[in-house]
Amino acid sequence: MVVMKTADKWTDYEIIATGDGMKLERWAGVTLLRPDPQIIWHAEKDLYSLNPDAVYRRNDRGGGLWVCRGKVPDEWSVSYGGMSLAVKLMGFKHTGVFPEQAVNWDEMSSLIKKSGREDVKVLNLFAYTGGASVACAKAGAVVTHVDAAKGMVERAGKNARASGIERGIRYIVDDCGKFVARELRRGNRYDAVIMDPPSYGRGPSGEMWKIEDDLYDFVKLTTGVLCEKPLFFLINSYTTGLAPAVTEDILRLTLKDFAGDFESYEVGLPTGDGIVLPCGASGLFRGIS
C-alpha cells in the first residue's frame, strides 16, 4: 500500500476546490486558479465563478500565461513554521513555493534537531527557491544550496533572510552534477543530502538532464559525499511516470553499505472537497548513528 503524507499544518495556504483539471488555491490573501495534471474529475461548481484573483491559462504550444482578474501583488509571502516564503506569479504556472513539501521540511527539521550533532552539514541539490534549505537552517544545520538557475538561488537567499536567517546557508549557482564531482575531488563530506530533480532540465552550460536516464547514476555519485554515518538522504520527484517506490529502490541500491531504514511515500495536500490531492513522491533514508 502506498503511504500518503499530508501537509495539513498550513494556515496561509489552502486548496479551496478542485475539478476539470484545475485547483483553486488561497495563498495568504490571494486566490489563484491553476492547472494540475492529477485532477481528472469534474468540479462540483464552476471554479471560475468563485472569482480567483489570477488564472493560469494554457496555450496550445505547451506554455501559458497568468491572467489577473483582481489586484495581485507583484510579490507577497506565506508563512509556515517560522519560515517566510515569497510567492510570485511565475512561468509554467509556478509560484516559487511547493506547499506539499512542508511534509519533508518537518521531517528533516525533526531529524536534525534530534540528531544531537553540532553543525549538521546538509547538501541541497536542485534546491530551487530554498524551502528545504530554510527549514534545515532554522533547525540548526549548515546548508549548501545548489541550483543551476541564478534567479532561483537569489530568491532562496531572499526567503532565508525573510525567515530570519543571515548565516548558515551557502548559495551555489552551478550544474548539480559538476558541483558534486568537485566536492568528491575536494574530499568534502555531508551529514545529509536532499535532491529535488526535475523531470527534464538543462544546466548553465546546456547540460541535459532526464530523470529516467540520469537519476540512479547521479544518486550513486552523490553517495560519495556522505559522511561515515549519514543522517538522511531525501529524494523528491514530481515525475508522474515514476512510482514512489522507485525512489526508495534507488536509495536501497546505492546506500546499501550504510546503516539505516528506508521508506517511500506520496506527498499531498488536503482540499476543500474533502480529499487529498497527490502532489509528488519521496524516498527517504534515515541513518542509524
Side-chain angles (χ1 to χ4, degrees), residues 76-230:
W76 68 104
S77 63
V78 292
S79 298
Y80 182 87
M83 302 163 60
S84 181
L85 304 173
V87 181
K88 184 180 179 66
L89 303 186
M90 301 165 67
F92 301 100
K93 73 178 181 178
H94 290 177
T95 62
V97 179
F98 289 93
E100 69 279 355
Q101 286 303 310
V103 165
N104 287 324
W105 301 339
D106 291 344
E107 175 69 19
M108 292 182 289
S109 295
S110 177
L111 290 171
I112 292 166
K113 291 175 182 177
K114 291 179 180 178
S115 71
R117 304 183 191 184
E118 293 185 2
D119 297 329
V120 172
K121 293 179 63 178
V122 175
L123 175 60
N124 188 8
L125 301 168
F126 310 98
Y128 196 51
T129 58
S133 296
V134 174
C136 291
K138 288 192 75 68
V142 177
V143 182
T144 298
H145 174 110
V146 187
D147 197 281
K150 182 179 179 181
M152 296 302 103
V153 174
E154 290 173 347
R155 292 184 69 79
K158 184 173 182 178
N159 285 333
R161 292 187 293 274
S163 300
I165 299 169
E166 296 292 338
R167 300 178 181 178
I169 302 178
R170 179 170 64 126
Y171 303 97
I172 306 291
V173 179
D174 200 355
D175 173 76
C176 289
K178 290 182 177 180
F179 178 79
V180 169
R182 285 201 304 275
E183 290 295 86
L184 286 167
R185 292 194 295 270
R186 294 165 178 156
N188 289 334
R189 296 294 180 264
Y190 295 85
D191 297 282
V193 170
I194 308 160
M195 62 171 65
D196 197 344
S199 298
Y200 301 93
R202 288 183 180 273
S205 301
E207 302 88 347
M208 286 295 298
W209 166 274
K210 186 177 180 182
I211 195 167
E212 294 92 338
D213 297 337
D214 299 321
L215 181 59
Y216 173 79
D217 288 336
F218 184 61
V219 173
K220 187 174 182 180
L221 176 73
T222 306
T223 60
V225 303
L226 290 171
C227 66
E228 184 177 346
K229 294 183 178 180

Side-chain angles (χ1 to χ4, degrees), residues 212-289:
E212 294 92 338
D213 297 337
D214 299 321
L215 181 59
Y216 173 79
D217 288 336
F218 184 61
V219 173
K220 187 174 182 180
L221 176 73
T222 306
T223 60
V225 303
L226 290 171
C227 66
E228 184 177 346
K229 294 183 178 180
L231 188 58
F232 63 82
F233 197 123
L234 174 72
I235 303 173
N236 190 69
S237 172
Y238 292 97
T239 304
T240 55
L242 295 183
V246 171
T247 56
E248 180 180 339
D249 290 343
I250 289 173
L251 290 172
R252 286 183 180 274
L253 290 168
T254 56
L255 295 172
K256 59 187 177 183
D257 294 330
F258 295 95
D261 60 74
F262 302 83
E263 70 169 325
S264 56
Y265 47 89
E266 288 188 277
V267 291
L269 290 161
T271 79
D273 309 306
I275 60 175
V276 176
L277 180 65
C279 301
S282 296
L284 178 63
F285 165 82
R286 297 184 191 85
I288 299 174
S289 299

